[in-house]
């Protein structure tokens, strides 16, 4: 039996007073909203308890190795197939991309940074507030990723969203999300993340009104916990801290209920007369889940030098090449810096991986100014980047006697990929683009000195 955890919600929202969660990552879960609703001894009996329909949702191919196979059985009042034909959604959503090519996006090696997006003036729900920043690959070829942001001010009404292209990893930055899924309900606050696997239908309510955040989407694979290697058996994100919803269902007639499906980056709608959240019981290892980033156990250098950011990986979506990620989700949480004779902020570097960064709250240690909560930056493959001038000068000015220092009240993150992202035109043309970003490094000056040394100047010596 999986551990149950309870989340209490405040009375300012329309959410219930508390939620029960199941604990674990990749476990085989079982949950029923009505005792006895789960069939015993088989998945698909001739007649299910209470007259329910059995329906399987598969996140991997049927013949995937057992350790990779993901699927769940849902026992619902009406099957999800009971709907009208899909039609192209009107109006179309022109800022969602799942095929990255010269027609939809462009290559840009420049260091890019965006200021926080403003909350829309007109009523905008999660679907309409979602827009793509960059990405690579193709949802049709089942390989690649997309990075989106969202800004919304209203709850989804009488509709559900389904992403047929890939998994969503949502990072709320401002405003809580109250998410209803076919497996149950989740409450997600800034400082937490939620993963909504491919194919699940969900609805997003906004108990605080305006909300914005970040979304990573992966095609053709799923997120998993990274291997720990020499770290050993413990550390980073613990399996038990991931929370999965418990069964909850809606019954009754819902005329005109709309399912919005993202398919190849385009949106389609189908109408039905019932809520898709009519699952009375379910079991399996394919389900939505959430995680509190404050429970992350960071590792760090305790004597000299600076660890690579990969040591802060929460989740990874791997490729077939060992150690190379389609997309890593990495965080920079509160932690002690104690390394001696060491430049402690992130070092200057060029990387074969591409890095998209966001800031949930506080300040990021490598950027003293300009990188704001709700903002973002993109440093693509082999584009140099690192601490700004103020950070460098302040750090060096402390000298070697800085002593232990704790970074507090901050939570930054990075989506890092081995693929080279192409950037969407509206992101490059955005009024929130920081066109002066490059100037944060302009003040870096040469401290080179060789007077009195025996080294040569590099000129040919006769």
């Amino acid at each position: 039996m999986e551990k149950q955890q309870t989340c209490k919600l405040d009375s300012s929202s329309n959410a219930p007073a508390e939620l029960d969660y199941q604990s674990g990552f990749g476990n085989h879960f079982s949950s029923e909203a009505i005792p006895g609703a789960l069939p015993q001894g088989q998945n698909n009996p001739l007649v299910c308890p209470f007259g329910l329909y059995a329906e399987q949702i598969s996140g991997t191919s049927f013949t995937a190795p057992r350790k990779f196979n993901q699927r769940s059985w849902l026992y619902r009042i009406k099957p999800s197939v009971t709907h009208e034909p899909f039609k192209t959604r009107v109006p179309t959503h022109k800022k969602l991309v799942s095929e990255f090519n010269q027609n939809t996006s462009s290559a840009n090696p420049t260091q890019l940074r965006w200021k926080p997006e403003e909350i829309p003036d007109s009523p905008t729900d999660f679907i309409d507030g979602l827009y793509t920043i960059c990405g690579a690959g193709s949802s049709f070829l089942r390989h690649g990723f997309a990075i989106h942001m969202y800004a919304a001010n209203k709850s989804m009404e009488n509709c559900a969203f389904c992403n047929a292209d890939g998994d969503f990893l949502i990072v709320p930055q401002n405003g809580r999300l109250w998410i209803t899924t076919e497996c149950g309900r989740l409450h997600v606050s800034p400082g937490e993340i939620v993963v909504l696997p491919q194919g699940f239908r969900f609805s997003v309510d906004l108990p605080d009104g305006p909300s914005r955040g970040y979304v990573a989407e992966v095609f053709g694979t799923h997120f998993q916990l990274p291997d720990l290697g020499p770290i050993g058996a413990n550390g980073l994100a613990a399996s038990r801290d991931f929370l999965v919803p418990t069964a909850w269902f809606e019954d009754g007639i819902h005329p005109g209920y709309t399912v919005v499906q993202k398919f190849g980056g385009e949106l389609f709608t189908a109408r039905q007369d019932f809520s898709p959240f009519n699952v009375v019981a379910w079991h399996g290892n394919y389900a939505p889940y959430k995680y509190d980033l404050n429970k992350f156990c960071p590792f760090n250098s305790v004597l000299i030098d600076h660890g690579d950011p990969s040591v802060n990986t929460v989740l990874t979506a791997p490729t077939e090449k060992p150690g190379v990620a389609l997309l890593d989700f990495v965080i920079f949480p509160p932690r002690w810096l104690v390394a001696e004779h060491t430049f402690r902020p992130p070092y200057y570097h060029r990387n074969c991986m591409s890095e998209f960064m966001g800031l949930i709250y506080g300040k990021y240690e490598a950027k003293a100014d300009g990188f704001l909560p709700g903002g973002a930056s993109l440093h693509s493959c082999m584009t140099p980047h690192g601490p700004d001038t103020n950070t460098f000068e302040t750090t060096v000015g402390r000298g070697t006697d800085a002593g232990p220092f704790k970074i507090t009240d901050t939570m930054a993150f990075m989506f890092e990929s081995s693929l080279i992202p192409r950037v969407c035109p509206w992101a490059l043309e955005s009024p929130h683009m920081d066109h002066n970003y490059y100037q944060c490094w302009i003040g870096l000056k040469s401290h080179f000195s060789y007077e009195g040394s025996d080294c040569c100047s590099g000129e040919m010596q006769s």
Side-chain angles (χ1 to χ4, degrees), residues 57 104 108 111 150 200 221 231 249 253 267 289 330 415 420:
I57 180 167
T104 62
N108 192 320
Q111 302 94 339
Y150 71 89
F200 276 100
T221 188
I231 292 176
F249 69 94
I253 301 298
L267 298 185
Y289 56 88
V330 180
F415 298 141
I420 298 177

Side-chain angles (χ1 to χ4, degrees), residues 216-286:
E217 180 181 14
V218 292
F219 311 136
T221 188
H222 300 292
F223 289 102
Q224 63 186 48
L225 292 175
D227 291 330
L228 295 180
I231 292 176
N234 305 287
L236 307 189
S239 297
R240 69 173 183 168
D241 291 327
F242 288 83
L243 302 180
V244 172
T246 54
W248 176 88
F249 69 94
E250 290 181 330
D251 194 7
I253 301 298
H254 293 260
Y257 199 102
T258 302
V259 174
V260 181
Q261 183 138 320
K262 187 168 87 71
F263 183 85
E266 300 179 42
L267 298 185
F268 300 83
T269 61
R271 294 168 68 89
Q272 57 189 49
D273 62 1
F274 63 97
S275 167
F277 311 121
N278 65 349
V279 178
V280 181
W282 65 273
H283 76 87
N285 62 351
Y286 192 53

Side-chain angles (χ1 to χ4, degrees), residues 19 179-186 245-249 277 279 282 288:
L19 283 178
I179 302 177
T180 304
T181 77
E182 292 171 276
C183 290
R185 300 168 294 178
L186 304 106
T246 54
W248 176 88
F249 69 94
F277 311 121
V279 178
W282 65 273

Side-chain angles (χ1 to χ4, degrees), residues 82-163:
T82 311
H83 61 77
E84 297 176 3
F86 280 104
K87 299 178 181 179
T88 299
R89 185 174 185 253
V90 179
T92 59
H93 195 315
K94 298 181 179 180
K95 291 187 177 182
L96 282 180
V97 177
S98 292
E99 309 301 308
F100 293 91
N101 53 50
Q102 292 180 336
N103 295 324
T104 62
S105 49
S106 60
N108 192 320
T110 299
Q111 302 94 339
L112 302 176
R113 185 163 73 182
W114 293 269
K115 300 174 183 177
E117 176 76 13
E118 296 175 0
I119 300 297
D121 293 328
S122 59
T124 305
D125 65 14
F126 176 82
I127 300 175
D128 290 320
L130 193 65
Y131 58 99
T132 310
I133 299 293
C134 61
S138 163
S139 63
F140 285 103
L141 297 179
R142 313 305 306 133
H143 181 66
F145 73 94
I147 293 174
H148 318 278
M149 297 182 72
Y150 71 89
N153 57 16
K154 70 182 289 287
S155 299
M156 294 170 57
E157 298 176 356
N158 210 40
C159 73
F161 192 29
C162 175
N163 182 9

